[in-house]
Amino acid sequence: MEHNISLITMLAGGFGLALIFGFIAEKLKLPALVGYLLAGIALGPATPGMVADMELAPQLLEIGVMLLMFGVGLHFSLKDLLAVKKIALPGAVVQMNMATVLGLGVASWWGWTFGESLLLGLSLSCASTVVLLKALDTRGITDSMNGRIAVGWLVVEDLATVLVLVLLPPLAGMLGGKVIGADAGTPLWQVLGKVAGFIALMLVVGRRVLPWLLLQIAKTGSRELFTLSVVAAAIGIAYGAAVLFHVSFALGAFFAGTVMRESDLSHRAAEESLPLRDAFSVLFFVSVACCSSRPCWSKSRCAF
């Protein structure tokens, strides 16, 4: 075909290879997640054969993060977090501090600058919410006590990570770095104000408007419209948060799920969006492995 079908080709290759490698992994008594990562490596430029479009892969990765964090928000309960706060809060804080100090010390020993060493330590201090939630869900222990402690621990880490990501651009100059993009030269108070404004908007306006809107759409009796409204809310709010408030897609999608949980239809919303979230969670892991196997970070486009 003469027209560009790189997205279709990538979806076909990603889903197909993920199915094959995931099936083999399950037969070998390994998590299917291992197969998805192998599929991503197979699609990367470091291996022969198909090579994914390296401009589309990060975008598919972001969509996967949005939908997965939206699902986390749908199941997130402040009450559940407070129930495990005596373990999750101090545990997450101590673990992040220890990992940061360890990473900072090792990088300093390598001869890195303080800013570079601190960034490495902070990166090591964060667990992958997406990976752990997928593992908990696969084992069916998300709603167990250990699962709730793990989720609470992750939520604390995610909130701390959001704060770190907010503070890093304004403090980049002090750490010997340079900010490129929308946050370049933005004062710290203005960055914090944007994040606070987004959270306030979601908690004050979103938690009233979104459940009401969901109820009105449910009254139409159209399953397609209901599913569309859930997906549109997840991706639309995440996109709006990033464009208007310079907040990460993940945080925007998380708060979209959190405010939608206030609706009596939150369980239906979770069920209706589950197939799409599962599909894009697979693409998330495929895209992560695909991008990680890229030999360089140039803007050159790789076609299949």
Side-chain angles (χ1 to χ4, degrees):
M1 295 184 180
E2 294 183 359
H3 55 284
N4 194 332
I5 57 169
S6 57
L7 175 59
I8 299 175
T9 308
M10 185 170 183
L11 290 175
F15 283 131
L17 289 178
L19 174 61
I20 294 172
F21 284 109
F23 178 77
I24 294 174
E26 288 286 348
K27 284 296 184 180
L28 295 175
K29 306 300 181 182
L30 296 172
L33 172 60
V34 176
Y36 304 155
L37 294 175
L38 290 176
I41 294 174
L43 285 172
T47 56
M50 282 186 173
V51 178
D53 187 322
M54 300 308 291
E55 290 184 1
L56 288 176
Q59 296 184 52
L60 292 176
L61 188 153
E62 291 287 4
I63 295 176
V65 170
M66 289 183 211
L67 294 177
L68 284 168
M69 292 306 295
F70 175 72
V72 174
L74 278 174
H75 293 92
F76 173 74
S77 170
L78 184 59
K79 182 179 178 181
D80 292 340
L81 177 60
L82 293 176
V84 297
K85 65 179 181 179
K86 293 183 179 180
I87 300 177
L89 182 58
V93 172
V94 171
Q95 179 255 315
M96 292 189 73
N97 285 329
M98 291 181 62
T100 300
V101 171
L102 180 62
L104 193 153
V106 172
S108 298
W109 181 58
W110 290 342
W112 292 18
T113 65
F114 176 77
E116 294 169 342
S117 303
L118 179 61
L119 188 59
L120 175 64
L122 290 171
S123 300
L124 294 175
S125 70
C126 307
S128 175
T129 303
V130 175
V131 174
L132 186 52
L133 285 175
K134 188 69 176 178
L136 292 174
D137 186 61
T138 300
R139 295 175 178 269
I141 58 175
T142 305
D143 293 326
S144 66
M145 179 54 67
N146 289 336
R148 291 178 182 177
I149 292 174
V151 172
W153 194 304
L154 289 171
V155 169
V156 174
E157 284 193 356
D158 287 342
L159 294 176
T161 302
V162 168
L163 181 61
V164 169
L165 291 176
V166 168
L167 293 177
L168 276 179
L171 298 178
M174 297 174 58
L175 297 174
K178 183 173 64 174
V179 183
I180 300 175
D183 290 328
T186 304
L188 178 60
W189 66 268
Q190 189 172 345
V191 175
L192 292 175
K194 288 181 179 180
V195 176
F198 168 72
I199 295 176
L201 181 65
M202 293 302 298
L203 294 180
V204 176
V205 179
R207 67 184 304 180
R208 291 176 172 81
V209 174
L210 202 57
W212 176 83
L213 184 61
L214 201 64
L215 178 61
Q216 302 309 310
I217 294 175
K219 288 181 178 179
T220 65
S222 173
R223 180 179 178 181
E224 292 82 4
L225 278 178
F226 185 85
T227 304
L228 180 60
S229 66
V230 174
V231 176
I235 297 180
I237 292 176
Y239 176 78
V243 173
L244 301 177
F245 297 93
H246 299 162
V247 175
S248 67
F249 289 122
L251 182 65
F254 173 76
F255 271 96
T258 301
V259 297
M260 191 171 286
R261 181 183 170 83
E262 300 294 325
S263 171
D264 295 333
L265 299 169
S266 59
H267 291 291
R268 180 183 172 187
E271 292 177 359
E272 295 288 352
S273 61
L274 183 60
L276 191 62
R277 285 189 282 125
D278 283 345
F280 273 93
S281 70
V282 172
L283 283 181
F284 168 80
F285 294 110
V286 171
S287 299
V288 166
C290 181
C291 293
S292 299
S293 64
R294 187 177 184 179
C296 66
W297 291 103
S298 66
K299 294 184 178 181
S300 60
R301 180 166 181 162
C302 306
F304 276 100

